[in-house]
Amino acid sequence: MAELHVELVAADRQVWSGEASLVVARTSSGDIGVMPGHQPLLGVLQSGPVTIRTTGESGDGTVVAAVHGGFISFADNKLSLLAEIAELSDEIDVQRAERALERAKSDADAAAERRADVRLRAVAGAH
């Protein structure tokens, strides 16, 4: 099976690296799916879950991350997701995200509400 190498990097750390058969992310142009052999691309990431269908030594599976802003780049079967903020779904504290969502709604803070919502959708998408 053809694979692409994926690097998901946040401003403060490398979040995930490995082989994948498909990556789905939200860009300023809409959702995009990248598979091996995709045309080169450069885009702006929007807040949303990123889904990575993994392959390789660890076996087939799915990795989901909450991503908030950044860039996506693909060339030569290498995909880079350079995010301002990124968290793997299993790193997200659901209760804390729910409290943040309620607080953001009561404060009418649209940006904070969007971040909390993306975190909760990433967790839901992983299960």
Side-chain angles (χ1 to χ4, degrees):
M1 173 186 286
E3 297 177 342
L4 57 104
H5 184 74
V6 179
E7 297 281 338
L8 173 56
V9 180
D12 60 344
R13 67 187 178 115
Q14 180 172 347
V15 178
W16 190 87
S17 176
E19 304 305 311
S21 60
L22 171 68
V23 176
V24 178
R26 176 153 297 157
T27 70
S28 56
S29 301
D31 288 354
I32 186 166
V34 179
M35 297 174 70
H38 195 282
Q39 291 183 310
L41 74 91
L42 178 62
V44 176
L45 286 171
Q46 297 294 307
S47 290
V50 169
T51 303
I52 304 168
R53 296 252 169 86
T54 63
T55 60
E57 293 177 14
S58 60
D60 295 347
T62 302
V63 172
V64 180
V67 172
H68 307 281
F71 297 93
I72 182 172
S73 171
F74 181 77
D76 301 322
N77 275 341
K78 294 178 185 165
L79 180 70
S80 297
L81 299 147
L82 309 171
E84 293 172 24
I85 301 169
E87 298 172 274
L88 295 175
S89 61
D90 59 2
E91 299 172 337
I92 296 171
D93 179 333
V94 174
Q95 292 175 337
R96 182 175 174 223
E98 288 171 342
R99 286 192 306 269
L101 180 60
E102 291 306 314
R103 191 171 41 253
K105 285 180 178 179
S106 67
D107 294 345
D109 185 341
E113 185 175 342
R114 186 172 41 255
R115 284 190 304 273
D117 180 62
V118 167
R119 294 173 79 216
L120 291 169
R121 286 190 295 138
V123 171
H127 297 110

